[in-house]
Amino acid sequence: MISFEFPVTERTRILLRLEHLYARLGHFIGKDHPYDHHAALLVLFELMETASRADLKADLLQELERQKQMLEALRENPQVAEETLEGVLEDIEHASSRLLALTGKFGQHLRENEWLMAIKQRAGIPGGTCQFDLPSYHLWQQKTAEVRRQDIKRWATPLMPTAEAAGILLTLLRDSGKTHHYVARRGVFQQMSGGKVVQLIRVAYDGGLELLPELSANKYALNIRFVSAVTGESRPRQTEQDVEFHLTNCKF
């Protein structure tokens, strides 16, 4: 099975992008080659731009508090595992505390580092980070992998509370999903939403079909169209076959 997640709201879209970037950062930090650590720095710059919205911190804190209140109301529910619930509430409290402790604009410590900003500027030019363009960067790349790794971790540490908060919210959102089995006749599926708004939609199906789902959704209707995924085609073609798939709607 292969699955695709489609954000329906702007907040979910940003959370998914943050998750993607933090996953890449963790991957490249764990490697040893200078090229891997160069890729890690590029991810730091992407994070700085993606999460630079002034209201992101407030949005995350607001949503964490809303989830906390909803979960606290379940404390007296005998069908809820108390230990698990308390663990989630503790995670939310910890993430909120770390976010509140952040001061200034997201990634400001990176912007104030002239050396890093010089790399960021040159990285936008094809081949712009060659040793003759940035001799000091070339020197840094010759240091041991552990020295480079510790530097990157130091630069990344102030950004990590946002990763923790985004991870908690996406876990709660995904866990809220209800999955149903459907068939897209000749590659097309439509479902009326009845005014219900979801934050995230997951479509899962047999990955061997070489198809891609195209989705549009609003509070009135959901439309899915399966198209060919053959590399080199100028325009995807809608499949003529029936496609069995699982649809998961996630909503806080």
Side-chain angles (χ1 to χ4, degrees):
M1 297 289 286
I2 186 173
S3 65
F4 288 85
E5 289 185 328
F6 297 90
V8 181
T9 64
E10 181 61 23
R11 176 180 291 177
T12 306
R13 185 174 292 109
I14 291 176
L15 290 177
L16 289 174
R17 284 176 176 161
L18 289 174
E19 179 186 58
H20 172 69
L21 288 171
Y22 279 114
R24 284 172 54 200
L25 179 62
H27 171 79
F28 289 123
I29 286 180
K31 302 293 184 177
D32 292 337
H33 198 280
Y35 289 168
D36 294 306
H37 292 165
H38 174 73
L41 286 181
L42 296 184
V43 176
L44 281 182
F45 300 148
E46 287 188 64
L47 277 168
M48 185 178 70
E49 298 299 330
T50 302
S52 62
R53 291 191 310 125
D55 57 346
L56 177 62
K57 175 182 173 181
D59 281 351
L60 291 173
L61 285 170
Q62 182 183 36
E63 190 58 48
L64 286 171
E65 181 61 28
R66 190 171 76 89
Q67 294 303 314
K68 178 183 174 183
Q69 292 178 5
M70 292 174 60
L71 292 171
E72 285 179 337
L74 299 176
R75 273 190 165 132
E76 304 302 323
N77 191 328
Q79 297 181 339
V80 176
E82 182 178 351
E83 184 176 345
T84 301
L85 177 61
E86 292 301 326
V88 175
L89 287 170
E90 184 176 326
D91 290 342
I92 291 176
E93 188 64 35
H94 183 261
S96 297
S97 298
R98 293 189 67 193
L99 277 177
L100 285 169
L102 294 178
T103 57
K105 190 175 182 180
F106 182 91
Q108 187 61 32
H109 67 292
L110 300 178
R111 294 181 178 86
E112 294 174 352
N113 188 317
E114 294 183 5
W115 185 76
L116 286 175
M117 290 302 96
I119 297 171
K120 180 178 184 294
Q121 183 179 22
R122 296 297 306 179
I125 302 172
T129 57
C130 287
Q131 57 176 308
F132 59 84
D133 287 309
L134 294 170
S136 65
Y137 184 44
H138 177 66
L139 180 63
W140 178 80
Q141 289 179 313
Q142 304 314 304
K143 294 182 178 181
T144 66
E146 189 55 34
V147 168
R148 296 194 307 269
R149 185 177 296 110
Q150 290 305 316
D151 283 342
I152 297 173
K153 286 183 177 180
R154 174 164 49 85
W155 296 323
T157 294
L159 311 180
M160 300 316 291
T162 303
E164 183 180 2
I168 290 172
L169 291 175
L170 283 174
T171 297
L172 292 172
L173 180 58
R174 288 171 173 138
D175 288 347
S176 72
K178 295 182 178 179
T179 302
H180 300 279
H181 176 264
Y182 296 105
V183 177
R185 301 297 179 187
R186 300 185 68 181
V188 176
F189 175 81
Q190 184 179 64
Q191 183 182 69
M192 304 310 295
S193 303
K196 296 180 180 179
V197 179
V198 298
Q199 280 85 35
L200 180 70
I201 295 173
R202 184 184 304 116
V203 178
Y205 56 96
D206 182 358
L209 294 177
E210 291 292 324
L211 296 173
L212 289 173
E214 292 184 347
L215 182 145
S216 63
N218 54 43
K219 64 181 180 180
Y220 302 110
L222 164 67
N223 293 282
I224 301 175
R225 187 170 74 106
F226 288 91
V227 299
S228 60
V230 179
T231 304
E233 289 193 2
S234 59
R235 182 176 298 177
R237 294 178 292 103
Q238 181 178 313
T239 183
E240 293 296 321
Q241 68 184 100
D242 292 346
V243 181
E244 295 189 39
F245 68 99
H246 292 89
L247 177 68
T248 306
N249 291 322
C250 303
K251 177 183 178 182
F252 284 132

Short mmCIF file of all heavy atoms in Angstrom, two decimals, residues 65-119:
data_model
loop_
_atom_site.label_atom_id
_atom_site.label_comp_id
_atom_site.label_asym_id
_atom_site.label_seq_id
_atom_site.Cartn_x
_atom_site.Cartn_y
_atom_site.Cartn_z
N GLU A 65 -3.23 24.30 23.50
CA GLU A 65 -4.12 24.56 24.64
C GLU A 65 -5.51 24.00 24.38
O GLU A 65 -6.15 23.44 25.28
CB GLU A 65 -4.19 26.06 24.90
CG GLU A 65 -5.08 26.47 26.08
CD GLU A 65 -4.62 25.89 27.40
OE1 GLU A 65 -3.40 25.64 27.55
OE2 GLU A 65 -5.48 25.67 28.29
N ARG A 66 -5.99 24.14 23.14
CA ARG A 66 -7.31 23.61 22.80
C ARG A 66 -7.33 22.09 22.93
O ARG A 66 -8.29 21.52 23.47
CB ARG A 66 -7.68 24.03 21.37
CG ARG A 66 -9.14 23.75 21.01
CD ARG A 66 -9.49 24.40 19.69
NE ARG A 66 -8.94 23.65 18.58
CZ ARG A 66 -9.57 22.65 17.98
NH1 ARG A 66 -10.77 22.27 18.40
NH2 ARG A 66 -9.02 22.02 16.96
N GLN A 67 -6.28 21.45 22.46
CA GLN A 67 -6.20 19.99 22.58
C GLN A 67 -6.09 19.56 24.05
O GLN A 67 -6.67 18.55 24.45
CB GLN A 67 -5.00 19.47 21.80
CG GLN A 67 -5.10 19.65 20.30
CD GLN A 67 -6.34 18.99 19.72
OE1 GLN A 67 -6.66 17.84 20.04
NE2 GLN A 67 -7.06 19.71 18.86
N LYS A 68 -5.36 20.33 24.82
CA LYS A 68 -5.22 20.02 26.25
C LYS A 68 -6.57 20.05 26.95
O LYS A 68 -6.92 19.15 27.73
CB LYS A 68 -4.27 21.03 26.89
CG LYS A 68 -4.08 20.84 28.39
CD LYS A 68 -3.18 21.93 28.95
CE LYS A 68 -3.09 21.84 30.47
NZ LYS A 68 -2.26 22.94 31.03
N GLN A 69 -7.37 21.07 26.66
CA GLN A 69 -8.68 21.19 27.29
C GLN A 69 -9.61 20.05 26.86
O GLN A 69 -10.36 19.51 27.69
CB GLN A 69 -9.31 22.54 26.94
CG GLN A 69 -8.57 23.73 27.55
CD GLN A 69 -9.17 25.05 27.15
OE1 GLN A 69 -10.20 25.11 26.47
NE2 GLN A 69 -8.53 26.14 27.55
N MET A 70 -9.55 19.68 25.60
CA MET A 70 -10.39 18.59 25.11
C MET A 70 -9.99 17.26 25.75
O MET A 70 -10.85 16.45 26.11
CB MET A 70 -10.28 18.49 23.58
CG MET A 70 -10.88 19.66 22.83
SD MET A 70 -10.57 19.59 21.04
CE MET A 70 -11.33 18.04 20.61
N LEU A 71 -8.70 17.04 25.91
CA LEU A 71 -8.22 15.79 26.50
C LEU A 71 -8.49 15.74 28.00
O LEU A 71 -8.81 14.68 28.55
CB LEU A 71 -6.73 15.62 26.23
CG LEU A 71 -6.36 15.36 24.75
CD1 LEU A 71 -4.85 15.42 24.56
CD2 LEU A 71 -6.91 14.02 24.29
N GLU A 72 -8.37 16.87 28.68
CA GLU A 72 -8.64 16.91 30.12
C GLU A 72 -10.08 16.54 30.41
O GLU A 72 -10.39 15.99 31.47
CB GLU A 72 -8.30 18.28 30.68
CG GLU A 72 -6.81 18.53 30.83
CD GLU A 72 -6.50 19.90 31.37
OE1 GLU A 72 -7.37 20.81 31.22
OE2 GLU A 72 -5.40 20.09 31.94
N ALA A 73 -10.98 16.85 29.48
CA ALA A 73 -12.39 16.51 29.66
C ALA A 73 -12.63 15.01 29.61
O ALA A 73 -13.69 14.53 30.01
CB ALA A 73 -13.23 17.21 28.59
N LEU A 74 -11.63 14.24 29.14
CA LEU A 74 -11.77 12.78 29.03
C LEU A 74 -11.26 12.06 30.26
O LEU A 74 -11.30 10.82 30.31
CB LEU A 74 -11.00 12.29 27.80
CG LEU A 74 -11.46 12.84 26.44
CD1 LEU A 74 -10.53 12.33 25.34
CD2 LEU A 74 -12.90 12.44 26.15
N ARG A 75 -10.80 12.78 31.25
CA ARG A 75 -10.17 12.14 32.41
C ARG A 75 -11.13 11.22 33.16
O ARG A 75 -10.72 10.23 33.73
CB ARG A 75 -9.64 13.21 33.36
CG ARG A 75 -8.22 13.68 33.00
CD ARG A 75 -7.65 14.54 34.08
NE ARG A 75 -6.22 14.70 33.95
CZ ARG A 75 -5.58 15.86 34.01
NH1 ARG A 75 -6.27 16.97 34.17
NH2 ARG A 75 -4.27 15.91 33.90
N GLU A 76 -12.40 11.53 33.14
CA GLU A 76 -13.38 10.73 33.87
C GLU A 76 -14.01 9.65 33.01
O GLU A 76 -14.90 8.94 33.46
CB GLU A 76 -14.47 11.64 34.44
CG GLU A 76 -13.96 12.78 35.33
CD GLU A 76 -13.16 12.26 36.51
OE1 GLU A 76 -13.54 11.20 37.07
OE2 GLU A 76 -12.15 12.89 36.88
N ASN A 77 -13.55 9.55 31.76
CA ASN A 77 -14.13 8.56 30.84
C ASN A 77 -13.49 7.20 31.08
O ASN A 77 -12.28 7.04 30.90
CB ASN A 77 -13.89 9.02 29.39
CG ASN A 77 -14.67 8.20 28.39
OD1 ASN A 77 -14.92 7.01 28.60
ND2 ASN A 77 -15.06 8.82 27.28
N PRO A 78 -14.27 6.21 31.48
CA PRO A 78 -13.71 4.88 31.78
C PRO A 78 -13.16 4.16 30.55
O PRO A 78 -12.39 3.20 30.68
CB PRO A 78 -14.90 4.12 32.37
CG PRO A 78 -16.11 4.81 31.82
CD PRO A 78 -15.73 6.26 31.70
N GLN A 79 -13.53 4.62 29.34
CA GLN A 79 -13.06 3.97 28.11
C GLN A 79 -11.71 4.50 27.64
O GLN A 79 -11.16 4.03 26.65
CB GLN A 79 -14.10 4.15 27.00
CG GLN A 79 -15.44 3.49 27.30
CD GLN A 79 -16.42 3.67 26.16
OE1 GLN A 79 -16.28 4.58 25.35
NE2 GLN A 79 -17.42 2.81 26.10
N VAL A 80 -11.18 5.47 28.36
CA VAL A 80 -9.90 6.08 28.00
C VAL A 80 -8.82 5.59 28.95
O VAL A 80 -8.99 5.60 30.17
CB VAL A 80 -9.99 7.62 28.06
CG1 VAL A 80 -8.62 8.24 27.76
CG2 VAL A 80 -11.02 8.13 27.06
N ALA A 81 -7.70 5.13 28.39
CA ALA A 81 -6.58 4.66 29.21
C ALA A 81 -5.96 5.86 29.93
O ALA A 81 -5.39 6.75 29.29
CB ALA A 81 -5.55 3.96 28.34
N GLU A 82 -6.07 5.86 31.24
CA GLU A 82 -5.62 7.01 32.03
C GLU A 82 -4.13 7.28 31.86
O GLU A 82 -3.71 8.43 31.72
CB GLU A 82 -5.95 6.77 33.51
CG GLU A 82 -5.57 7.95 34.40
CD GLU A 82 -5.95 7.71 35.86
OE1 GLU A 82 -6.66 6.72 36.14
OE2 GLU A 82 -5.51 8.51 36.70
N GLU A 83 -3.33 6.22 31.88
CA GLU A 83 -1.87 6.40 31.78
C GLU A 83 -1.48 7.02 30.44
O GLU A 83 -0.65 7.93 30.38
CB GLU A 83 -1.17 5.05 31.96
CG GLU A 83 0.34 5.15 31.96
CD GLU A 83 1.01 3.81 32.24
OE1 GLU A 83 0.31 2.87 32.70
OE2 GLU A 83 2.22 3.69 31.97
N THR A 84 -2.12 6.55 29.37
CA THR A 84 -1.83 7.10 28.05
C THR A 84 -2.26 8.55 27.96
O THR A 84 -1.53 9.41 27.43
CB THR A 84 -2.55 6.29 26.96
OG1 THR A 84 -2.13 4.93 27.02
CG2 THR A 84 -2.26 6.85 25.57
N LEU A 85 -3.44 8.85 28.49
CA LEU A 85 -3.96 10.22 28.46
C LEU A 85 -3.03 11.16 29.21
O LEU A 85 -2.71 12.26 28.73
CB LEU A 85 -5.36 10.25 29.08
CG LEU A 85 -6.02 11.63 29.19
CD1 LEU A 85 -6.18 12.26 27.82
CD2 LEU A 85 -7.38 11.52 29.89
N GLU A 86 -2.59 10.76 30.41
CA GLU A 86 -1.71 11.61 31.20
C GLU A 86 -0.38 11.83 30.49
O GLU A 86 0.22 12.91 30.57
CB GLU A 86 -1.47 10.99 32.58
CG GLU A 86 -2.71 10.97 33.47
CD GLU A 86 -3.29 12.35 33.73
OE1 GLU A 86 -2.50 13.31 33.81
OE2 GLU A 86 -4.51 12.47 33.83
N GLY A 87 0.08 10.81 29.76
CA GLY A 87 1.33 10.95 29.02
C GLY A 87 1.21 12.00 27.91
O GLY A 87 2.13 12.81 27.72
N VAL A 88 0.08 11.97 27.20
CA VAL A 88 -0.14 12.94 26.14
C VAL A 88 -0.26 14.35 26.72
O VAL A 88 0.32 15.31 26.17
CB VAL A 88 -1.41 12.59 25.33
CG1 VAL A 88 -1.69 13.68 24.30
CG2 VAL A 88 -1.24 11.25 24.64
N LEU A 89 -0.99 14.48 27.81
CA LEU A 89 -1.13 15.80 28.45
C LEU A 89 0.22 16.33 28.93
O LEU A 89 0.49 17.53 28.83
CB LEU A 89 -2.11 15.70 29.63
CG LEU A 89 -3.59 15.55 29.25
CD1 LEU A 89 -4.42 15.22 30.48
CD2 LEU A 89 -4.10 16.83 28.59
N GLU A 90 1.04 15.44 29.43
CA GLU A 90 2.37 15.85 29.87
C GLU A 90 3.21 16.31 28.69
O GLU A 90 3.95 17.31 28.79
CB GLU A 90 3.06 14.68 30.57
CG GLU A 90 4.42 15.03 31.16
CD GLU A 90 5.03 13.87 31.92
OE1 GLU A 90 4.27 13.09 32.55
OE2 GLU A 90 6.28 13.74 31.88
N ASP A 91 3.10 15.61 27.55
CA ASP A 91 3.83 16.02 26.35
C ASP A 91 3.37 17.39 25.87
O ASP A 91 4.20 18.23 25.46
CB ASP A 91 3.63 14.99 25.23
CG ASP A 91 4.33 13.67 25.52
OD1 ASP A 91 5.23 13.66 26.38
OD2 ASP A 91 3.96 12.67 24.88
N ILE A 92 2.07 17.63 25.90
CA ILE A 92 1.53 18.92 25.48
C ILE A 92 2.03 20.03 26.40
O ILE A 92 2.44 21.11 25.94
CB ILE A 92 -0.01 18.89 25.47
CG1 ILE A 92 -0.51 17.98 24.34
CG2 ILE A 92 -0.59 20.30 25.31
CD1 ILE A 92 -2.01 17.82 24.31
N GLU A 93 2.03 19.78 27.70
CA GLU A 93 2.49 20.77 28.66
C GLU A 93 3.96 21.10 28.44
O GLU A 93 4.37 22.27 28.48
CB GLU A 93 2.27 20.25 30.08
CG GLU A 93 2.54 21.27 31.17
CD GLU A 93 1.58 22.45 31.12
OE1 GLU A 93 0.40 22.24 30.78
OE2 GLU A 93 2.03 23.59 31.42
N HIS A 94 4.76 20.07 28.19
CA HIS A 94 6.19 20.27 27.96
C HIS A 94 6.43 21.07 26.68
O HIS A 94 7.27 21.99 26.66
CB HIS A 94 6.89 18.91 27.87
CG HIS A 94 8.37 19.00 27.70
ND1 HIS A 94 8.99 18.87 26.47
CD2 HIS A 94 9.36 19.23 28.60
CE1 HIS A 94 10.30 19.01 26.63
NE2 HIS A 94 10.56 19.22 27.91
N ALA A 95 5.71 20.72 25.61
CA ALA A 95 5.88 21.43 24.35
C ALA A 95 5.46 22.89 24.48
O ALA A 95 6.12 23.79 23.95
CB ALA A 95 5.06 20.74 23.25
N SER A 96 4.37 23.13 25.19
CA SER A 96 3.90 24.50 25.38
C SER A 96 4.91 25.33 26.17
O SER A 96 5.17 26.49 25.85
CB SER A 96 2.55 24.50 26.11
OG SER A 96 1.56 23.85 25.34
N SER A 97 5.49 24.72 27.19
CA SER A 97 6.48 25.43 28.02
C SER A 97 7.70 25.81 27.19
O SER A 97 8.24 26.91 27.33
CB SER A 97 6.90 24.55 29.20
OG SER A 97 5.80 24.27 30.04
N ARG A 98 8.15 24.89 26.34
CA ARG A 98 9.32 25.17 25.51
C ARG A 98 9.02 26.26 24.49
O ARG A 98 9.87 27.11 24.20
CB ARG A 98 9.78 23.90 24.81
CG ARG A 98 10.35 22.84 25.74
CD ARG A 98 10.98 21.71 24.94
NE ARG A 98 12.17 22.18 24.23
CZ ARG A 98 12.78 21.49 23.27
NH1 ARG A 98 12.27 20.33 22.86
NH2 ARG A 98 13.85 21.97 22.67
N LEU A 99 7.80 26.26 23.94
CA LEU A 99 7.44 27.32 22.99
C LEU A 99 7.37 28.67 23.68
O LEU A 99 7.83 29.68 23.15
CB LEU A 99 6.08 26.99 22.35
CG LEU A 99 6.06 26.05 21.15
CD1 LEU A 99 4.64 25.79 20.71
CD2 LEU A 99 6.88 26.62 19.99
N LEU A 100 6.79 28.69 24.87
CA LEU A 100 6.68 29.95 25.62
C LEU A 100 8.05 30.52 25.97
O LEU A 100 8.21 31.73 26.11
CB LEU A 100 5.86 29.73 26.89
CG LEU A 100 4.35 29.59 26.70
CD1 LEU A 100 3.68 29.13 27.99
CD2 LEU A 100 3.74 30.93 26.25
N ALA A 101 9.01 29.65 26.13
CA ALA A 101 10.36 30.09 26.50
C ALA A 101 11.10 30.73 25.33
O ALA A 101 12.12 31.39 25.54
CB ALA A 101 11.16 28.91 27.05
N LEU A 102 10.59 30.53 24.12
CA LEU A 102 11.25 31.11 22.95
C LEU A 102 11.03 32.62 22.92
O LEU A 102 9.92 33.10 23.15
CB LEU A 102 10.69 30.50 21.66
CG LEU A 102 10.98 29.02 21.40
CD1 LEU A 102 10.32 28.59 20.10
CD2 LEU A 102 12.48 28.76 21.35
N THR A 103 12.07 33.34 22.64
CA THR A 103 11.96 34.80 22.54
C THR A 103 12.45 35.24 21.17
O THR A 103 13.31 34.60 20.55
CB THR A 103 12.81 35.49 23.63
OG1 THR A 103 14.17 35.07 23.51
CG2 THR A 103 12.30 35.15 25.02
N GLY A 104 11.90 36.34 20.72
CA GLY A 104 12.31 36.86 19.42
C GLY A 104 11.71 36.10 18.26
O GLY A 104 10.94 35.15 18.42
N LYS A 105 12.09 36.49 17.06
CA LYS A 105 11.57 35.89 15.85
C LYS A 105 12.19 34.52 15.63
O LYS A 105 13.36 34.30 15.94
CB LYS A 105 11.87 36.80 14.66
CG LYS A 105 11.17 36.40 13.37
CD LYS A 105 11.43 37.42 12.28
CE LYS A 105 10.69 37.05 11.00
NZ LYS A 105 10.92 38.04 9.92
N PHE A 106 11.41 33.61 15.09
CA PHE A 106 11.89 32.26 14.83
C PHE A 106 13.12 32.31 13.93
O PHE A 106 13.12 32.93 12.87
CB PHE A 106 10.79 31.44 14.16
CG PHE A 106 11.16 30.00 13.89
CD1 PHE A 106 10.89 29.02 14.82
CD2 PHE A 106 11.78 29.63 12.70
CE1 PHE A 106 11.22 27.69 14.57
CE2 PHE A 106 12.12 28.32 12.45
CZ PHE A 106 11.84 27.35 13.39
N GLY A 107 14.20 31.65 14.35
CA GLY A 107 15.42 31.61 13.56
C GLY A 107 16.24 32.89 13.58
O GLY A 107 17.15 33.05 12.77
N GLN A 108 15.94 33.79 14.51
CA GLN A 108 16.67 35.06 14.56
C GLN A 108 18.15 34.85 14.81
O GLN A 108 19.00 35.58 14.28
CB GLN A 108 16.08 35.97 15.65
CG GLN A 108 16.64 37.37 15.67
CD GLN A 108 16.39 38.13 14.37
OE1 GLN A 108 15.39 37.92 13.70
NE2 GLN A 108 17.33 39.00 14.01
N HIS A 109 18.49 33.83 15.61
CA HIS A 109 19.91 33.56 15.88
C HIS A 109 20.65 33.16 14.62
O HIS A 109 21.86 33.38 14.50
CB HIS A 109 20.04 32.45 16.94
CG HIS A 109 19.58 31.11 16.48
ND1 HIS A 109 18.26 30.81 16.22
CD2 HIS A 109 20.28 29.96 16.21
CE1 HIS A 109 18.16 29.55 15.82
NE2 HIS A 109 19.36 29.02 15.81
N LEU A 110 19.94 32.58 13.66
CA LEU A 110 20.57 32.24 12.38
C LEU A 110 20.76 33.51 11.54
O LEU A 110 21.81 33.68 10.90
CB LEU A 110 19.71 31.24 11.61
CG LEU A 110 19.45 29.89 12.28
CD1 LEU A 110 18.55 29.02 11.40
CD2 LEU A 110 20.76 29.16 12.57
N ARG A 111 19.76 34.38 11.55
CA ARG A 111 19.87 35.62 10.78
C ARG A 111 20.99 36.51 11.28
O ARG A 111 21.57 37.29 10.51
CB ARG A 111 18.54 36.38 10.83
CG ARG A 111 17.38 35.67 10.13
CD ARG A 111 16.10 36.51 10.20
NE ARG A 111 15.02 35.85 9.48
CZ ARG A 111 14.23 34.94 10.04
NH1 ARG A 111 14.40 34.60 11.32
NH2 ARG A 111 13.27 34.38 9.34
N GLU A 112 21.27 36.43 12.57
CA GLU A 112 22.32 37.26 13.15
C GLU A 112 23.71 36.67 12.96
O GLU A 112 24.70 37.31 13.32
CB GLU A 112 22.03 37.47 14.64
CG GLU A 112 20.76 38.27 14.91
CD GLU A 112 20.41 38.34 16.37
OE1 GLU A 112 21.05 37.63 17.18
OE2 GLU A 112 19.49 39.10 16.72
N ASN A 113 23.79 35.47 12.41
CA ASN A 113 25.08 34.82 12.15
C ASN A 113 25.50 35.15 10.72
O ASN A 113 25.01 34.57 9.75
CB ASN A 113 24.95 33.31 12.34
CG ASN A 113 26.28 32.59 12.28
OD1 ASN A 113 27.11 32.87 11.43
ND2 ASN A 113 26.47 31.64 13.18
N GLU A 114 26.41 36.11 10.58
CA GLU A 114 26.81 36.58 9.25
C GLU A 114 27.43 35.46 8.42
O GLU A 114 27.27 35.42 7.19
CB GLU A 114 27.78 37.75 9.39
CG GLU A 114 27.15 39.00 10.00
CD GLU A 114 28.13 40.16 10.04
OE1 GLU A 114 29.26 40.02 9.51
OE2 GLU A 114 27.78 41.21 10.60
N TRP A 115 28.14 34.56 9.07
CA TRP A 115 28.79 33.46 8.36
C TRP A 115 27.74 32.55 7.72
O TRP A 115 27.85 32.19 6.55
CB TRP A 115 29.67 32.69 9.34
CG TRP A 115 30.49 31.61 8.72
CD1 TRP A 115 31.63 31.76 7.98
CD2 TRP A 115 30.24 30.19 8.78
NE1 TRP A 115 32.11 30.53 7.58
CE2 TRP A 115 31.27 29.54 8.06
CE3 TRP A 115 29.26 29.42 9.38
CZ2 TRP A 115 31.34 28.17 7.92
CZ3 TRP A 115 29.32 28.04 9.24
CH2 TRP A 115 30.34 27.43 8.52
N LEU A 116 26.70 32.20 8.50
CA LEU A 116 25.64 31.35 7.97
C LEU A 116 24.85 32.08 6.88
O LEU A 116 24.46 31.47 5.87
CB LEU A 116 24.70 30.92 9.09
CG LEU A 116 25.23 29.85 10.05
CD1 LEU A 116 24.22 29.62 11.18
CD2 LEU A 116 25.51 28.54 9.32
N MET A 117 24.58 33.35 7.07
CA MET A 117 23.82 34.10 6.07
C MET A 117 24.60 34.24 4.76
O MET A 117 24.01 34.31 3.68
CB MET A 117 23.43 35.47 6.62
CG MET A 117 22.37 35.41 7.72
SD MET A 117 20.81 34.61 7.21
CE MET A 117 21.06 32.92 7.80
N ALA A 118 25.93 34.28 4.85
CA ALA A 118 26.74 34.31 3.62
C ALA A 118 26.59 33.00 2.86
O ALA A 118 26.48 32.99 1.62
CB ALA A 118 28.20 34.57 3.97
N ILE A 119 26.54 31.89 3.59
CA ILE A 119 26.32 30.58 2.96
C ILE A 119 24.94 30.52 2.34
O ILE A 119 24.76 30.04 1.21
CB ILE A 119 26.51 29.45 4.00
CG1 ILE A 119 27.94 29.44 4.53
CG2 ILE A 119 26.16 28.10 3.38
CD1 ILE A 119 28.15 28.51 5.70
#
